Amino acid sequence: MAAVAGLEEPEPGGSFRRYLARLGALRPQPGAERPDGGRRTELHLLFDQLISESCGPAPAAGPSPQDVCALLVQACQLVHLDQEHLVSKLGQLIHHLLNRFQVMVDEQNLNFLLSYCISALKQCSSWTHVEILQALAALVYSNGPKCQKYLPDLLGKTGLLVQFSDSAQPDVELRRAAVRSMANLCLSVPGQPYLDESYRSVCFQTFLSVLQSSKTSDVDDITFCMLLQSALKGIQSLLNGGKMKLMQTDQIGSLLAVLKKCMFHGLPGLSIEMPAALYPAPLPQYDKRLPVKQEQAEPAAFKQTGNRRKKSKGKQKKGEFGEEGREDLGDAGNESVLGADMLKLHLGDAHNSPCSDPRARASDVAYVPAGKGHLSSRYTGSKRISSSESECSDAEGGIQSKMRSYQANVRQGALACFLSAIKSMEKRVLYGYWSAFVPDAPGIGSPQSVSLMTIALKDPSPKTRACALQVLSAILEGSKQFLSVAEDANDHKRAFTPFSVTIASSIRELHRCLLLALVAESSSQTLTQIVKCLANLVSNAPYSRLKPGLLTRVWNQIKPYVCHKDVNVRVSSLTLLGAIVSVQAPLPEVQLLLQQPSSSGLSNSGSATPHRLNSSEQWRKALPSEGEPPDNPVGRTSSEPCWLLRLCVSIVILPREDSCSDSDANFPSFSSVYEPCPLRLESLQVLALLVKSYFSMAQSYFLELGEVACRCMEEMDPSIQLHGAKLLEELGTGVLQQYKPDSAVAPDQRVPVSVVVTFWTTMLNGPLPGILQNSPHVTLQTSACDALSSILPEAFSSLQNDQQILCVTLLLGLNHSENPLVKAAAARALGVYILFSCLRQDVMFVADTANAILNSLHDKSPNVRAKAAWSLGNLTDALIINMETMGQSFQEEFSDLLLLKMLRSATEASKDRDKVKSNAVRALGNVLHFLQPHHIANPRFREAIEESLQALISTVESEATMKVRWNACYALGNVFKNPALPLGEAPWTTQAYSALSSVVKSCKNFKVRIKSAMALSIPSKRECYGSTEQFCQIWSALVVALQKSEDTEDFLEFKYSASLRTQICQALLHLLSLARSTDLPVIWETITENGDAIKSYVLQYLKSEVEENEAGVHTDLGERERVLKGAIERLGGIERQLEGKARVRVSVYLQDVLTKHASAAGLTEA
């Protein structure tokens, strides 16, 4: 008893030191080979006391790991392997102490203890093996990397664990202990090497064979469940820690088959048989149902299911699952922990607080879509069964409850494993098994196939239901491309069901089942998962190809949950609504939903809080709207705001009125005044999505939404400020889209410029300048900078002068920020402002902006340089516009020194990475176009011009991205527009034409070819093309390019082939209209060789529909004919002068083309 008393001493670890001392006293004397009987009895007592104490209540301060390891090593030294009873107790002791005190054994002691256990397994009788394996499992837990030298003994071909876990092993307890040890060996340790491939393969096959095995009659249910759990954890560890990639079809098929089997293990009212492997197929596989006994499913069919969830949260009895070992800690009960992937379940921080309002359930049922009654009745016929409904005695009920708890753990383990498997295989491979796990509408007279939704609807454990929904979410995530084939908008009357209709049917069934689960669920955490799963489905489904109505049902059923008492449910409900308003916008169905009256769909709902919704009416009164003209030019369609907009605004700006819910305790700083922060942030995100996707509806509340953004930016919480700034940016961008030249919005339907001016005046008199100047939060400052760049140019020019100066000053100042994010945003904003007409014509502003951008162009951050290069491209665009609109006056005022600096900086930037290069070459083309004769004659410019031209030519010839080469071709075309450059005379001319000729013939990207053909057709005089030889090379290159205009390896390029032929024909006719007599022999030679092909393409060009070319310039049919007639007339004159010297008939050939075109056109008209 002294030892027991020692354990209760307050000194941490004191009791263990006493045990150590007692063990030391039992050491054999020198010369003694084995301990006498007295010492053996003392060891038995000592081990019994230690085991007993380790099963009791946990002490406040446990012993140190060093003391535990020292005690175990001493114990092993005292017990010889032929004393099997002591060896068995020692195994139990190792298992209990390491698990109880969560001790990680250091490498030196691990080597000694592992050697002892392996020797014991080899030498001791089989009846001791279970206890030794339990000790081994505790020792190797998270110690796999330190066990490398023992792996051949454990996992080799004749390894101990391989033998004991074999399917032929008659002792199930022994097999379970071996599988658990193997699973613990598979646990990964961050930063440490993992198991070799050969050992991983052995373990995987072992776990798979365990999962494929069936329970025999001599094995009790709980033991079999623990065996399955260990195997599932082993596979999960291999998938997670070993970064195992599932590639082979047979391996994937076998794993998914056993996981599907285990997902339904012990599920009340259901039993399925699975094939040995699943195979990827677009259509559902047959899975044979086993008949279910009536007494299992029927008695509970229509009973209430509220109690069974409360029972699942009861405390487990002491020591009930204590023998399981470290990897099973916390796995008992329905609320077990599944491991890293399932621990958090993405449920946020809120506590579980089931809905307590019984009216909510009744009212929710009213939201089940009309005509679906038979579906819900089918569900209620298989309600989840509660342990409290059993007719067994208390003792039997306890066993039943324990068994169900273990079966639930198996199902959760299988789902956790499936989640890891999803992350370990490619999505395109996963979707081959879609029909095995995702529900499809049942055929006439056939039962519905079992799927993840079966678990979500029927499993009695809320944790398991949440797990199934998380797996379904993972499958749906990123499924947009796979689901995009779905279509059922048209009625298919065929002898077979197309794949598109099958997928559409599956999408519809998913909607139906998830909405059914939404109505039936009472656990807040599981409810959150259902809503998140719906949001994932909505984000990926192709609603434009499906019959309308799906989103309406989701919309109507989710409405009550935005006022649920649990914050996480409310947040996820808003996320779902955000997904609805952002998916494939604008959808007519969603537009109709947004136009519904605010009260629509809420009056019958008991789970909504009417007074909460009514209070949100205040936001209209609380916000000023005096900036809006009285005649309502914005075009409000209703006196009542959109329900979703009203709800989000009220959550963001109104003080909370209801009492704090259970889950609000996590957000104390806001619980007294506003709604919890996550709820407000989600509301702001939904508002931003609403403005972005349905601006025509949101514009009716333009000024009010601006005031919301303003209020948010005035708050202290930087996250609220940030989302306020993002809302402001979306409002500004929405107006910009309306005023684009190609906008489909009629001028009288746009937000009036006067309202936009009022809006931005409010912003600039509000918190925006302060955030830009003083905010310590970089992301907020960046977002505010982006918002400031979304101002409408027409509104900017109408702002007061001091506000214009404020904007410009802020941006120029931020361009010197030390933070790269802020600096990049400022550089981009300056690139936007430089195109404003009122600023573009101000030489001083252009010069200041140019200096600021050039400064950013040399920044060490690639992102800053990329944004600065884009802005430099815009700035040089502005120079060209000014040159064309303002003439000589602007060119003379602009600094030569600054122009030279821009030329050199752009040349240097053209050697940077592609994101910088693409805009640097654009800027080079503009600057070279802008240069005046006095610049070109200036010796200081000469070298810079030569370098810049070489940079452009080398970029055209390079293997850079297509965007870069496209811009380089465009830039060379701009260079050719400058009459002051010695085009046709300078050596670089030959290089430029050669580069463009090469690209037009052979570039893989047709858009680059089009741009090079366009550049070749820009010079307006024959002298610009240089010598006859050079002119003829260009001509020949264009003819070859015309013949190759349909040759492509990439099918996506084929759609540009017609545009390419149009551009090449235009270039050929342009060359013909400029040709000299010396050029005609080569031209005639190519016509002689390829005349028929050229003729067919030119005829097609002459009659093809008018289209906009890459530069946005229309070339109508009359213009094309005029160019051809002009060429015929000119060439005819030259050929008459050459009569007798050379027999060329180019004009005759062209006349023949024109005649055929005219006759074809006449026939068409007739």
Side-chain angles (χ1 to χ4, degrees), residues 778 781 813-824 855 859-861 864:
V778 171
Q781 218 170 7
L814 289 171
N815 198 73
H816 297 286
S817 170
E818 293 179 4
N819 185 278
L821 287 174
V822 177
K823 194 169 184 177
N855 169 268
D859 196 87
K860 62 182 180 182
S861 163
V864 172

Side-chain angles (χ1 to χ4, degrees), residues 563-770:
C563 300
H564 195 276
K565 66 182 291 184
D566 186 272
V567 171
N568 290 319
V569 174
R570 295 174 71 190
V571 170
S572 56
S573 299
L574 283 169
T575 305
L576 173 54
L577 289 165
I580 291 173
V581 298
S582 60
V583 65
Q584 297 172 335
L587 284 174
E589 184 179 357
V590 178
Q591 282 179 320
L592 287 173
L593 290 172
L594 291 171
Q595 289 165 10
Q596 286 178 357
S598 296
S599 55
S600 173
L602 283 167
S603 56
N604 298 327
S605 172
S607 63
T609 315
H611 75 272
R612 165 106 188 95
L613 291 173
N614 292 338
S615 70
S616 65
E617 293 288 355
Q618 298 169 20
W619 79 269
R620 297 283 300 132
K621 301 169 188 175
L623 299 177
S625 56
E626 64 275 1
E628 187 182 330
D631 58 347
N632 192 18
V634 180
R636 276 202 182 135
T637 54
S638 166
S639 59
E640 202 177 12
C642 153
W643 166 79
L644 181 58
L645 189 142
R646 186 186 72 169
L647 172 80
C648 291
V649 171
S650 66
I651 289 172
V652 172
I653 67 169
L654 291 182
R656 62 187 304 153
E657 295 183 2
D658 51 352
S659 59
C660 183
S661 78
D662 296 345
S663 56
D664 289 353
N666 294 299
F667 319 108
S669 57
F670 293 97
S671 59
S672 57
V673 184
Y674 291 117
E675 292 287 0
C677 190
L679 197 61
R680 300 179 74 213
L681 292 176
E682 198 62 43
S683 297
L684 282 167
Q685 287 190 49
V686 173
L687 281 175
L689 289 169
L690 198 58
V691 170
K692 183 178 182 179
S693 305
Y694 295 91
F695 187 76
S696 58
M697 187 280 301
Q699 76 179 72
S700 301
Y701 318 102
F702 184 68
L703 291 177
E704 290 88 337
L705 288 170
E707 185 64 27
V708 171
C710 226
R711 286 194 183 194
C712 290
M713 289 189 290
E714 285 170 349
E715 290 196 20
M716 298 302 292
D717 185 342
S719 58
I720 298 287
Q721 289 178 302
L722 175 65
H723 282 78
K726 288 188 180 297
L727 175 59
L728 172 59
E729 184 187 354
E730 290 298 349
L731 287 164
T733 305
V735 175
L736 281 174
Q737 297 292 334
Q738 284 193 334
Y739 279 84
K740 274 189 170 181
D742 57 350
S743 171
V745 182
D748 61 334
Q749 295 297 313
R750 298 172 183 173
V751 180
V753 173
S754 59
V755 174
V756 183
V757 172
T758 303
F759 174 88
W760 282 106
T761 301
T762 306
M763 294 302 131
L764 293 170
N765 289 334
L768 187 60

Side-chain angles (χ1 to χ4, degrees), residues 35 68 141 169 179 188 316 398 401 442 508 844 882 991 993-994 1061 1067 1162:
V68 175
Y141 183 84
Q169 173 59 246
V179 171
S188 66
Q316 69 184 59
S401 176
R508 288 191 167 278
M844 292 305 295
N882 286 345
Q991 295 172 284
Y993 286 135
S994 174
R1061 285 193 292 276

